[in-house]
Amino acid sequence: MSERWPRARVTAAGVAVGAALLLVGAVTGRPDVAVLGAAPVVAGVLDWRRRPGGAVHATLEATGRAAAAGTLTGDVTLTAPPGTAAVLVVVRRHQEVVREVLVDVDGTRELPLVVRTVRTGPQTLADVDAQGIGPGAASMSEAAQPVSRTTLVLPDVGHLDVLPLPPRLRGLTGAHDSRRPGEGGSLRDVHPFAPGDRLRRIDWRVTARRSPRLAELYVRREHALAEAVVVLVVDSRDDVGPDPLTWRGPTVPAASDATSLDIARRAAASLAQAYLSAGDRVGLDDLAAMRRPLPPGGGRRQLDRIRQALAVTAPVGEARGRVRAPQVPSGALVVVFSTFLDDDAADVGVQWRRTGHRVIAVDVLPPLRTAHLKERHRFALRIVRLGRENRLAALADADVEVVTWHESPASQLTQLARRSQRRVGAGAR
């Protein structure tokens, strides 16, 4: 038989007080005092005899990935020996107690776990502790082995309507008008019938007006439909929160704060979804990781690959500097997501622009909280801000378009798209 649970200190103290009252009543001849002490003594003895034996076990399993609203779900399974009155369950996240409940367990019980989070990437779903309580709380089991589960939170996607396009379009399919003649796009011109033209392209009204005797036929020619190639480049070297005091040292950003890398993941996933839904090809690269980039592709599976790659993107040690900017396909639109707290991301953006690519720099630094900063901290932050503003100004001087993600990114992207509608093949969606 399993070893019985140890007695609870509170119950032992109650029995001791009851025994003392019984002794005082017997010595002083006070039956009323003895009666007061008899109840806790009898109850304590009976509960001790009913103490369960055995261990309490807890398991935690994640039931799904993060939803669009940042919800994580899991199942906590509790197993308790016969005679257990209740099980105390404590749920912690980031070393903080978020819920403490007392549940009735008859053998085995499964509890749903729902966690709200603003973070993305790999993270701990929860840390769960469990401890059994015997009848009348007279005994308590040893605390069960704490259990935890790590899950991967994929970035959610936002809705974006009008997006900028690269100066040159590629391919023979897509949703954008190319400069080449073809089918499916807007009207290019009206041209005399030539070998290879289809009869259904004949414009009889123009033919009747220009050649009443039908000496010559005229056909309507359209622009071919083409696709854009977009390369998303994430700078994962920095993962800073809205509190500048957490940028250096052992202090980490609060769990309720979205960091710059969380914003970059969501921004990149939103742009990928918008371009892929229009039939374009999208690739992904990381400035800090010396690994093979995700090549441009299309379709729903490409979006899943991009979200998966974004979720596992994280700072790993000290990033090595790049001698030159990573190579991207010819004529691609390059979108760089960075905090621009140093020169590396800005330098590669300028290099891409000088080689003829259209480059958009997305600033993912979250809005800062500075009310609690001391004077020396404010002075240091001012110096950092001046350097950052100089980099963004240098990008604008180099014809790199800058978008601040926390300031209505949809409207800023729309303005960039309208600005590129000056010639065929470089317009907005």
Side-chain angles (χ1 to χ4, degrees), residues 347-358:
D347 290 343
V348 296
V350 172
Q351 292 181 39
W352 278 318
R353 187 67 191 97
R354 288 174 178 172
T355 56
H357 296 282
R358 185 179 184 183

Side-chain angles (χ1 to χ4, degrees), residues 37-331:
V41 172
V42 174
V45 172
L46 292 177
D47 290 338
W48 284 345
R49 293 179 61 87
R50 295 182 296 170
R51 282 181 297 163
V56 175
H57 299 282
T59 59
L60 174 61
E61 294 293 338
T63 58
R65 290 177 174 175
T71 302
L72 302 177
T73 58
D75 289 329
V76 178
T77 304
L78 302 173
T79 303
T84 303
V87 175
L88 178 63
V89 181
V90 181
V91 179
R92 294 184 176 87
R93 292 201 81 234
H94 307 287
Q95 307 301 324
E96 296 181 2
V97 177
V98 296
R99 187 60 57 90
E100 189 172 356
V101 294
L102 196 64
V103 297
D104 181 20
V105 179
D106 185 11
T108 302
R109 182 170 179 179
E110 190 174 275
L111 302 176
L113 177 65
V114 179
V115 176
R116 306 288 180 181
T117 180
V118 297
R119 295 292 188 86
T120 56
Q123 57 183 275
T124 301
L125 174 62
D127 296 309
V128 179
D129 299 331
Q131 187 174 21
I133 300 177
S139 58
M140 299 186 69
S141 71
E142 297 292 338
Q145 187 70 22
V147 294
S148 63
R149 180 67 60 182
T150 301
T151 185
L152 187 65
V153 182
L154 300 181
D156 54 347
V157 296
H159 179 69
L160 299 173
D161 289 324
V162 184
L163 298 176
L165 296 175
R168 288 190 299 153
L169 299 177
R170 303 174 59 183
L172 298 176
T173 61
H176 320 296
D177 290 340
S178 171
R179 301 182 187 181
R180 303 184 301 273
E183 296 185 3
S186 59
L187 177 65
R188 185 174 188 268
D189 58 11
V190 178
H191 192 270
F193 186 88
D197 291 335
R198 299 184 179 182
L199 295 178
R200 64 184 181 89
R201 292 293 180 185
I202 298 176
D203 191 326
W204 294 106
R205 291 186 179 181
V206 176
T207 299
R209 185 170 62 253
R210 295 186 178 182
S211 180
R213 298 181 179 275
L214 299 181
E216 192 171 19
L217 301 178
Y218 289 87
V219 295
R220 296 170 60 89
R221 296 196 302 182
E222 299 173 343
H223 290 286
L225 291 179
E227 62 186 5
V229 177
V230 182
V231 178
L232 308 176
V233 182
V234 178
D235 182 8
S236 66
R237 296 169 303 150
D238 296 328
D239 189 13
V240 298
D243 186 0
L245 296 180
T246 63
W247 291 4
R248 289 293 185 267
T251 306
V252 297
S256 58
D257 294 333
T259 65
S260 60
L261 195 53
D262 295 325
I263 298 175
R265 292 187 184 115
R266 291 190 176 96
S270 300
L271 286 173
Q273 193 273 338
Y275 280 111
L276 290 173
S277 63
D280 296 324
R281 298 169 59 222
V282 181
L284 179 67
D285 200 353
D286 186 357
L287 284 180
M290 297 296 180
R291 60 172 179 261
R292 182 181 179 184
L294 184 64
R300 178 66 188 183
R301 294 188 62 183
Q302 181 70 0
L303 178 60
D304 295 337
R305 296 188 192 99
I306 291 176
R307 294 181 66 194
Q308 181 76 18
L310 287 171
V312 299
T313 297
V316 180
E318 188 69 22
R320 292 182 294 176
R322 290 182 178 268
V323 178
R324 60 180 177 85
Q327 293 187 355
V328 296
S330 175

